[in-house]
Amino acid sequence: MKKIKTALVSVYHKDGLDEIITLLHKDGVKFLSTGGTKSFIESLGFPCDAVEDLTGYPSILGGRVKTLHPKVFGGILSRRDNESDCQQVAQYEIPDIDLVIVDLYPFVDTVASGACDADIIEKIDIGGISLIRAAAKNHKDVIIVASKAQYAPLAQLLKENGAQSTLEQRRWFAKEAFAVSSSYDGSIFSYFDGEETPSALRVAIDDAKVMRYGENPHQKGTFFGDFNEMFEQLHGKEISYNNLLDIDAAVSLIAEFNDPTFAILKHNNACGLASRDTIVEAWKDALAGDPVSAFGGVLITNGTVDLAAAEEINKIFFEVIIAPAYDAAALEVLMQKKNRIILVQKCANNTQKQFRSILNGALVQDRDLKVETAEDLTQVTKKAVDPAQVDDLLFANKIVKHSKSNAIVLAKNRQLCASGVGQTSRVDALKQAIEKAHSFNFDLNGAVMASDAFFPFPDCVEIASKAGVNAVIQPGGSINDQKSIEYCDENDIAMVTTGIRHFKH
């Protein structure tokens, strides 16, 4: 156990600090501080020495230099069990500092505010980051509290132990401190790098939630991120690793649609989706797309779930439902099953990059945020698409964009009839979609087909035509495009190309 005799306190965030200062004073701890924090401690009725009195130097250079002095850093870094260190601190009259409570200038918030470069540079902390590293390095003798997130653990320690700590406790605080400093430096690097293609990958996310397990029970899993920033969980069991994958896929998919829409996902792919005038109608037609796969699925809508919709939804078993809002009566119905996860989506996913670990490194790419409109369509066949077909083609194209490649989507009247996903052959994906549509009694006459990539041969348009499809949307770009176009012309099929491929692996 190490006794805390002197504490250096210099912080930006003072909420919750009063309890800590009171507990330390009660145990006879002496305070050192600067500026506003010194005034704060004294306002609580406790004595506090100024760092300037210890160092013999005032704060200089507009506050850039306050604590950068051997009498401060010597007191933090001195090894209490090292005879030479003890002799030197005695020779130069350097007091031991046993606890450092410090936080950093709000660099990230300043960048986010749109401040000018000069103001951002001034928010690069020098003294604070140096104090954090020094105290964390010498955690054998010193406790470091590097952010307001550690105020509560420190207060708990002081209540349980008084003003003393174990090595294990000090090491934990040091670990947390290095997490703060590494994240801070990563943010500064990202600001200075500022390139479309970064020269190095620095990712620091402070919020960690250990999952029950990973993708399978024998795998460990952790989610890093602030889930509560995007969602409010109203009801249900703990969210799993696989739930999070489906929730991510669902949120990305529903963001494509403006009309009242309901989607049902399994294993990151839509198995049902429809846009209608009301949410309950959208739900009924989404479920009709594949009522079998909907069992245990993740449901998402872009509209308020009312009582009529809730009563229909309540007829099946599902894992998760996501909506921007729910009527009170709808919640009463949906909460009848205790494990159902009911989420309110509070905001969109505004991240611009995707990350994936691969081999001994990582892949980083821009998120696929391209949404095709009618203006992006190029008519390549003699037969032109009519307005209703354009609506269905764009509808189908949004779904195929969010389906695992190779992917084919068949749609009609803004309803997903069926999809073939994750196939090694585009022909197999199409055959899977046709077979599935027929199994649920869909009439494909007048349906449209969307493909996530070009057709290398005319076989897909031939098979689709025989099934009743009369309009096709695809990226184009194959050396054999003309063969597919010619088949369409010969069989009265309309085809448009987008020039945009939507592979998803």
Side-chain angles (χ1 to χ4, degrees), residues 18 93 135 140 240 248 297 329 331 366 444 452 472 484 489 504-505:
D18 52 346
E93 299 180 338
K140 184 177 178 183
S240 71
D248 177 66
L331 284 176
D366 297 333
L444 293 179
D452 62 338
V472 178
S484 293
D489 285 339
K504 186 182 179 188
H505 295 106

Side-chain angles (χ1 to χ4, degrees), residues 180 228 239 246 259 266 276 389:
V180 169
N228 294 329
I239 294 172
D246 281 326
D259 294 332
K266 285 289 287 290
R276 292 293 182 260
Q389 288 176 323

Side-chain angles (χ1 to χ4, degrees), residues 189-394:
F189 164 78
S190 296
Y191 174 74
F192 274 88
D193 192 40
E195 300 292 332
E196 188 70 23
T197 303
S199 60
L201 177 61
R202 299 285 186 273
V203 179
I205 304 174
D206 295 328
D207 300 291
K209 176 177 173 54
V210 177
M211 315 304 295
R212 284 175 291 164
Y213 50 81
E215 200 162 6
N216 299 292
H218 63 279
Q219 296 171 273
K220 294 180 179 179
T222 305
F223 172 67
F224 293 92
D226 187 357
F227 185 81
N228 294 329
E229 180 184 11
M230 284 189 66
F231 301 96
E232 178 184 0
Q233 183 169 353
L234 302 180
H235 184 74
K237 63 183 180 180
E238 181 182 357
I239 294 172
S240 71
Y241 182 101
N242 289 331
N243 288 154
L244 285 175
L245 292 176
D246 281 326
I247 290 168
D248 177 66
V251 166
S252 296
L253 174 60
I254 204 69
E256 304 273 355
F257 298 90
N258 296 317
D259 294 332
T261 300
F262 227 116
I264 306 168
L265 288 89
K266 285 289 287 290
H267 299 290
N268 310 156
N269 293 296
C271 58
L273 193 150
S275 295
R276 292 293 182 260
D277 293 332
T278 66
I279 293 300
V280 66
E281 291 172 345
W283 162 254
K284 289 178 179 178
D285 286 345
L287 180 63
D290 187 346
V292 175
S293 295
F295 182 87
V298 169
L299 321 181
I300 189 166
T301 182
N302 57 4
T304 299
V305 176
D306 58 18
L307 177 61
E311 287 176 338
E312 291 297 323
I313 295 165
N314 195 47
K315 294 177 181 179
I316 73 162
F317 167 74
F318 60 90
E319 288 269 339
V320 182
I321 183 170
I322 309 162
Y326 304 84
D327 288 346
L331 284 176
E332 287 186 17
V333 172
L334 295 174
M335 288 181 177
Q336 291 174 4
K337 303 295 184 180
K338 67 177 183 178
N339 288 330
R340 278 181 182 163
I341 297 169
I342 303 175
L343 299 177
V344 172
Q345 185 179 349
K346 298 190 286 187
C347 62
N349 179 9
N350 294 319
T351 56
Q352 301 296 309
K353 299 288 184 181
Q354 287 181 318
F355 306 88
R356 180 180 290 188
S357 62
I358 182 173
L359 301 176
N360 60 346
L363 283 172
V364 181
Q365 69 169 353
D366 297 333
R367 289 181 62 214
D368 185 357
L369 299 176
K370 174 64 177 175
V371 180
E372 287 81 4
T373 66
E375 289 70 31
D376 297 312
L377 306 183
T378 300
Q379 187 75 48
V380 294
T381 52
K382 295 176 182 177
K383 182 177 182 179
V385 290
D386 60 41
Q389 288 176 323
V390 170
D391 286 346
D392 274 351
L393 289 167
L394 293 175

Side-chain angles (χ1 to χ4, degrees), residues 1-44:
M1 301 288 285
K2 290 282 184 178
K3 178 74 176 174
I4 302 170
K5 299 177 182 177
T6 301
L8 171 61
V9 187
S10 181
V11 297
Y12 183 86
H13 297 100
K14 299 177 180 64
D15 294 342
L17 185 63
D18 52 346
E19 180 184 23
I20 291 169
I21 298 300
T22 301
L23 290 167
L24 290 169
H25 175 74
K26 182 180 178 182
D27 272 11
V29 175
K30 179 181 177 180
F31 298 112
L32 279 170
S33 192
T34 61
T37 308
K38 179 176 181 295
S39 298
F40 175 80
I41 294 171
E42 291 173 336
S43 74
L44 298 174

Side-chain angles (χ1 to χ4, degrees), residues 120-165:
I120 291 171
I121 297 303
E122 284 307 308
K123 287 298 186 286
I124 298 177
D125 206 305
I126 303 301
I129 203 80
S130 301
L131 290 169
I132 288 172
R133 292 182 66 84
K137 176 177 180 177
N138 200 30
H139 66 274
K140 184 177 178 183
D141 298 303
V142 180
I143 299 181
I144 173 63
V145 174
S147 82
K148 63 179 180 180
Q150 279 83 60
Y151 286 1
L154 177 63
Q156 187 64 32
L157 180 152
L158 295 172
K159 290 174 184 176
E160 293 177 357
N161 297 350
Q164 57 184 355
S165 63

